[in-house]
Amino acid sequence: MRILFVHDRFPGQFRHLARALAADPGNEVHFLARVVEDEVPGVTPTLFQPSRTAHATTHHYVRPLETAVLNGQAAYRAGAALKRRGFRPDLVYSHAGFGPGLYLPELFPDARHAGYFEWFYRGRDSDAAFLVQNRLDENSLCRLKTRNAGILLELAAADLAICPTEFQRQQFPEALRDRLTTLHDGIDTGFFSPGSAAAVPGLSLPDGAEVVTYATRGMEPYRGFPQFMRAARLLQLRRPNLHVVVAGADMVAYSRRPAAGGPSYREQMLEELPDLDLQRLHFVGQLPLSDYRNLLRLSLVHVYLTVPFVLSWSLLEAMATGCAIVASDTAPVREVLADRQNGLLADFFSPEEIAGRVETLLDRPEQRATLAQEARQTVLDRYDLSDLLPRHLALLTGPARPGHAAAA
């Protein structure tokens, strides 16, 4: 079988699928990407680069669509070069939203086209409105609606549409949900597992430290970074042996960017909280997977916060590693965690409550151990790669059929 994966970033959500398919000598696997972030054995990505960025004069409602069109055009050209070399895929699997898969059905009309759909933008009762308590102005409401244009174009052309969680599928209009199959990428629970932790480079902790961890792609409001930092300050004031470790980059992935030339969200929080003990606050940056797993194994309590948005892999990875979890009481989290059953939930906007829930687990080792065990069991039962990867492969390579909703 000949397979073409398409994503803005290689390998993205397709890491496990690409590795599994490339390991079969009967398959030929190619990957189109704009940025390379890691390696996958047997897969060498072909890069595409848009000819320009969206024009500043383009109506700001339409700039995300123009960006998607430019990505789609560039990916089409990169795919056409593969086609000239004789590669004609049986399956094209694209990450929808950024646009690189937009025009590939025209280039490869005989292929089966699958799309990975993470999000549908809404102006009310969703991510953008959450931080401002549903008080978006009319301009923002219209802009967010228009942002779905590229996503809808890809969904209309997809033979198969996959969404990782039921919460995310529910963001799509009711009339379109039956086209989406709910199927998570899966967590490698053999790798992300409890065990003895080796040292994490650049991190030195004293014996007996109470280690609280937080991991994020970017330190930003969408992932509750300001609330976490305020909670960390409270915890430091109350517990002299507590050390806070933050993994992630000082950047913005999803939130509104700080003013040009202004401080980052990390810098803003350090300025707002001058009494933080920097000797007990450790920023370790983005870690290689093995170091990241070791950090999770060191953790007594792991904190995960998010607005109602795409669920981070990091939550499920921490659960699989056997962390005791304190998380925001928000809709994507409630699909995975139930308060006092496999974690503790707290009000996203309340640093006091977040800190209090962390202290509950620090002070009650038996409850902490029970919740950590239940958290891992949840991932084993519902998100284990060894179960979901075969389902994903069967769905992609099986006979074509109309879209339908099927919870994994």
Side-chain angles (χ1 to χ4, degrees), residues 115-335:
Y116 185 97
F117 292 84
E118 282 197 280
W119 198 242
F120 190 88
Y121 292 91
R122 293 176 174 269
R124 296 183 174 90
D125 300 321
S126 191
D127 59 318
F130 185 76
L131 292 173
V132 294
Q133 300 175 333
N134 277 321
R135 292 196 299 268
L136 286 176
D137 58 39
E138 293 177 353
N139 192 57
S140 296
L141 292 172
C142 296
R143 176 180 55 80
L144 285 166
K145 183 171 185 176
T146 310
R147 192 166 182 179
N148 293 307
I151 295 168
L152 290 170
L153 285 171
E154 293 198 57
L155 183 56
D159 300 307
L160 175 65
I162 295 172
C163 192
T165 73
E166 184 59 20
F167 165 75
Q168 288 164 246
R169 189 179 78 91
Q170 290 294 325
Q171 303 312 299
F172 284 78
E174 185 175 359
L176 301 176
R177 288 175 200 157
D178 285 348
R179 295 218 58 225
L180 292 154
T181 296
T182 302
L183 183 59
H184 196 270
D185 327 336
I187 300 299
D188 185 347
T189 59
F191 180 84
F192 286 105
S193 61
S196 300
V200 176
L203 178 63
S204 178
L205 299 169
D207 293 340
E210 295 180 319
V211 182
V212 174
T213 55
Y214 171 92
T216 182
R217 184 179 176 191
M219 301 176 199
E220 57 185 318
Y222 257 52
R223 298 310 190 192
F225 180 69
Q227 287 78 11
F228 174 75
M229 291 292 286
R230 293 168 188 139
R233 171 185 172 274
L234 295 174
L235 289 164
Q236 282 192 339
L237 292 173
R238 297 170 186 168
R239 308 184 78 94
N241 293 326
L242 184 134
H243 284 248
V244 175
V245 186
V246 176
D250 186 12
M251 70 171 198
V252 170
Y254 308 111
S255 302
R256 184 183 298 275
R257 297 185 182 280
S264 67
Y265 288 113
R266 169 180 161 173
E267 292 166 338
Q268 289 178 32
M269 296 316 300
L270 292 176
E271 183 177 329
E272 176 187 319
L273 306 171
D275 54 347
L276 279 168
D277 182 350
L278 301 184
Q279 299 301 311
R280 294 189 290 134
L281 175 61
H282 311 270
F283 292 101
V284 294
Q286 290 183 317
L287 297 171
L289 281 180
S290 59
D291 294 333
Y292 167 53
R293 179 189 60 185
N294 284 331
L295 174 62
L296 295 175
R297 287 176 173 177
L298 287 171
S299 178
L300 289 182
V301 180
H302 182 79
V303 179
Y304 175 76
L305 307 173
T306 186
V307 304
F309 189 55
V310 171
L311 187 75
S312 306
W313 293 331
S314 66
L315 172 61
L316 297 174
E317 290 165 349
M319 293 169 65
T321 308
C323 291
I325 306 293
V326 170
S328 56
D329 188 6
T330 47
V333 174
R334 289 193 293 269
E335 186 172 337

Side-chain angles (χ1 to χ4, degrees), residues 331-374:
V333 174
R334 289 193 293 269
E335 186 172 337
V336 177
L337 290 177
D339 191 38
R340 296 183 176 88
Q341 294 182 28
N342 55 357
L344 295 184
L345 301 183
D347 183 347
F348 176 93
F349 294 106
S350 175
E352 182 66 49
E353 188 170 320
I354 295 165
R357 286 304 181 97
V358 171
E359 285 201 284
T360 294
L361 293 183
L362 291 175
D363 290 336
R364 299 177 186 176
E366 291 185 3
Q367 182 184 23
R368 186 172 74 234
T370 298
L371 292 178
Q373 182 177 358
E374 290 299 322

